[in-house]
Amino acid sequence: MEHAEDGPGPQGQHAGEARWRGLFERMGEGFFVAEALRDAAGRMTDFRFVEVNPAFERLTGIPMQHALGRPVREVIPGVPDDLIRTYARVVDSGEPAEFEVHVPALNDRWYEARARALGHGQFCVLFLEITQRKAVELALVRSEARYRTLFESIDEGFCILQVLFDAAGQPHDYRFVEINPAFERHTGMAGALGRTARELIPNLELTWVHTYARVAVSGEPLRFEDHAPSMGRWFDVFAFRIGNPAEHKVALLFSDITQRKQVEQALREADARKDEFLATLAHELRNPLAPISNGLAILRHAEAGSAVGVRARELMERQLAHMVRLVDDLLDVSRVSRGKVELRKAPVALGAVVEAALETSRPLLDAAGHRLELALPAEPVLLDADATRLSQVLSNLLNNAAKYTREGGHVRLAARCLPQRRVSIAVSDNGIGIPPQMLDQVFDLFTQVGAALERSQGGLGIGLSLARRLVEMHGGHISAASDGAGRGSTFTVELPTL
């Protein structure tokens, strides 16, 4: 038997109305019923609040008595036109709508709403304020935008990789899940996104995989420099774990420091060459002192005109001349390096320059028993040159050939005319040769090939550097060639002619 208050009679209607009203009053969501207001053409241009619940006032800040019976454009002067159009579609079509709306006029609030048509031009709206959520979302969007701007613009390479483990739990590769534009420039790897490192570089060293795996597992960040021979590059890397530890993701901020490492290596090599040069210089300057000291002792006990005295004087003169040559070489290199040498150019015959060079080098060539071969052009060749400096270059090349060729060797000086008014002068020998890795360095200051032999023959190993600078000052070029150790060498000077 039905209770009277729940039946279809007036008492049942009042009970249902009471329950609905209780829900209406207590619900946390805002709720209102409105009716459409239309213009003369029948278009909905506004709506009037017919009923609002208490949460309406809390969520909008509009008192209930201020809203009831009034058009929304009076209650909220800045109501968005899009909101009116949305409600018009609901009323006219009968289709419900769910949407988010921003109402700057209500203290810049955001709402999430659901609207449903009730018939006879009326509709109801259930809504929640989502201003705080939208603020968080907007902050995230802005943060993402800042991150993306930084990500895209930083000069360093940046990537996020995921370390891959096999069934036994051992790391074997890693996949690039995000990369920035600078990534390719620093690594040389194109199309890396979504691919694995060993797919891109099959011979990649496993140490890189293990290093990133340690970061992914331990969570401890790591800063290091290392060489990747498979890529031909050096890298400065900062690696740190990101995200869920189970994802095994590692972020890398890195730079290609190959050029810096090459410069550092070059500086170390230059420093080593300088140390060797200083040791050689000390050796060369000290060597003549003992004979000179002995010669002075002999002269103190012998007649100056006697055979013993003459030999002692000649010995001292030779050693002194040797020291003078060493000091002159040092001064020349210093002056040329600082741009303090001025060439005294004048028209001069190539033959005269060669003759002056041979006059200087002949004693050394003869002392070693070398056979000298000359091959000069039949027609005179004129140069616009400083004859003294140019003969110094050629005598330096001949002296080197004599020093670096074992006794009884073969030294050849050959010149030939080239197109465009140039001449080539080559000094070759069948001596100890030059290792391939040294060909690009023999003209560098402090570089010595066969340092032990150099010291045994006398010299500082600075002659080729001086020769190159003097040739370049003449508008020419000097180069070295050799088939390797024990197969001789050739130094070629190219100069402009008149």
Side-chain angles (χ1 to χ4, degrees):
M1 181 175 180
E2 293 181 348
H3 295 288
E5 65 270 26
D6 292 335
Q11 288 184 341
Q13 291 178 357
H14 289 313
E17 176 76 16
R19 285 197 298 272
W20 183 88
R21 177 60 58 183
L23 176 64
F24 183 76
E25 299 288 342
R26 291 194 301 272
M27 65 192 301
E29 293 89 345
F31 184 84
F32 66 86
V33 176
E35 62 180 357
L37 300 178
R38 300 180 183 272
D39 60 16
R43 292 187 299 267
M44 177 178 167
T45 58
D46 204 345
F47 61 87
R48 179 186 296 114
F49 291 106
V50 174
E51 196 165 1
V52 299
N53 73 340
F56 175 94
E57 181 174 337
R58 177 171 53 80
L59 296 178
T60 65
I62 302 171
M64 295 173 59
Q65 63 273 18
H66 183 68
L68 285 172
R70 299 179 63 193
V72 71
R73 291 192 187 276
E74 290 183 11
V75 177
I76 310 172
V79 66
D81 289 338
D82 283 348
L83 183 62
I84 303 295
R85 286 191 287 268
T86 298
Y87 291 150
R89 285 194 298 271
V90 171
V91 171
D92 294 340
S93 69
E95 295 292 332
E98 294 187 9
F99 56 92
E100 293 179 356
V101 60
H102 182 210
V103 187
L106 292 179
N107 293 325
D108 210 33
R109 296 181 182 181
W110 278 86
Y111 296 97
E112 182 180 71
R114 293 192 295 274
R116 180 180 298 274
L118 297 176
H120 306 291
Q122 290 191 341
F123 61 96
C124 63
V125 177
L126 184 69
F127 65 93
L128 282 171
E129 185 185 357
I130 58 171
T131 305
Q132 187 174 4
R133 190 188 83 192
K134 295 301 286 189
V136 172
E137 290 177 358
L138 183 59
L140 287 174
V141 169
R142 289 173 177 168
S143 176
E144 172 68 19
R146 288 195 298 269
Y147 163 76
R148 182 58 54 184
T149 299
L150 177 64
F151 183 77
E152 298 288 342
S153 61
I154 59 174
D155 186 58
E156 290 83 357
F158 181 82
C159 68
I160 297 175
L161 57 86
Q162 184 174 35
V163 182
L164 306 178
F165 294 81
D166 60 22
Q170 295 299 312
H172 64 89
D173 204 347
Y174 50 86
R175 187 184 310 280
F176 297 103
V177 297
E178 193 167 356
I179 59 176
N180 75 337
F183 175 91
E184 182 175 341
R185 175 163 50 82
H186 283 276
T187 65
M189 291 189 290
L193 188 62
R195 302 173 69 186
T196 70
R198 305 198 76 187
E199 179 183 357
L200 295 162
I201 309 170
N203 59 335
L204 179 70
E205 298 78 14
L206 275 175
T207 53
W208 293 93
V209 179
H210 293 155
T211 298
Y212 298 144
R214 285 197 301 274
V215 174
V217 172
S218 70
E220 295 181 3
L222 185 62
R223 176 72 181 267
F224 63 95
E225 292 181 0
D226 205 353
H227 184 214
S230 57
M231 301 173 68
R233 300 181 186 228
W234 276 87
F235 295 100
D236 180 353
V237 183
F238 178 56
F240 54 98
R241 187 175 71 190
I242 63 170
N244 188 329
E247 293 178 326
H248 298 137
K249 287 185 178 179
V250 176
L252 307 181
L253 185 65
F254 64 94
S255 296
D256 178 5
I257 58 170
T258 306
Q259 187 173 7
R260 191 193 84 194
K261 285 293 186 179
Q262 291 171 343
V263 170
E264 290 174 356
Q265 179 63 24
L267 288 174
R268 284 193 294 269
E269 292 174 356
D271 193 56
R273 290 197 302 269
K274 182 177 67 175
D275 289 343
E276 185 175 354
F277 165 77
L278 291 174
T280 303
L281 175 61
H283 175 83
E284 291 295 337
L285 291 177
R286 187 175 62 248
N287 273 355
L289 295 179
I292 290 175
S293 178
N294 291 337
L296 289 172
I298 291 172
L299 287 179
R300 282 197 298 268
H301 299 90
E303 294 291 335
S306 66
V308 173
V310 170
R311 286 197 300 274
R313 191 170 60 252
E314 290 175 347
L315 171 66
M316 293 168 63
E317 288 173 349
R318 286 196 302 273
Q319 296 301 325
L320 182 59
H322 174 58
M323 291 186 72
V324 169
R325 285 198 304 274
L326 293 176
V327 174
D328 283 345
D329 281 350
L330 285 171
L331 291 175
D332 277 344
V333 167
S334 175
R335 285 195 292 262
V336 170
S337 298
R338 292 182 291 117
K340 299 296 184 181
V341 169
E342 293 184 5
L343 298 182
R344 299 177 180 177
K345 289 186 176 182
V348 61
L350 174 62
V353 174
V354 171
E355 185 177 345
L358 287 175
E359 184 178 344
T360 301
S361 302
R362 180 73 70 176
L364 190 57
L365 291 165
D366 290 344
H370 297 321
R371 179 169 61 88
L372 176 64
E373 179 185 353
L374 287 178
L376 301 179
E379 298 295 326
V381 177
L382 286 180
L383 307 171
D384 181 26
D386 184 325
T388 301
R389 291 298 187 181
L390 206 51
S391 65
Q392 182 182 2
V393 170
L394 296 184
S395 65
N396 182 284
L397 298 181
L398 289 168
N399 287 347
N400 277 352
K403 292 176 189 176
Y404 292 124
T405 302
R406 291 180 176 82
E407 291 187 5
H410 178 213
V411 177
R412 185 172 190 267
L413 189 154
R416 61 188 179 90
C417 292
L418 301 175
Q420 300 180 340
R421 302 178 69 175
R422 294 183 72 82
V423 65
S424 170
I425 310 162
V427 176
S428 56
D429 60 65
N430 62 345
I432 66 171
I434 304 173
Q437 68 273 15
M438 292 293 295
L439 283 173
D440 292 333
Q441 303 175 27
V442 291
F443 296 104
D444 293 342
L445 195 59
F446 307 136
T447 296
Q448 293 179 307
V449 180
L453 180 58
E454 177 73 34
R455 284 193 290 269
S456 71
Q457 297 293 336
L460 298 173
I462 61 176
L464 288 178
S465 175
L466 178 60
R468 179 179 64 180
R469 294 175 184 268
L470 291 174
V471 168
E472 290 173 350
M473 290 174 68
H474 279 85
H477 172 72
I478 186 170
S479 60
S482 175
D483 290 333
R487 306 188 67 177
S489 58
T490 299
F491 288 84
T492 303
V493 175
E494 286 190 16
L495 294 167
T497 64
L498 291 175

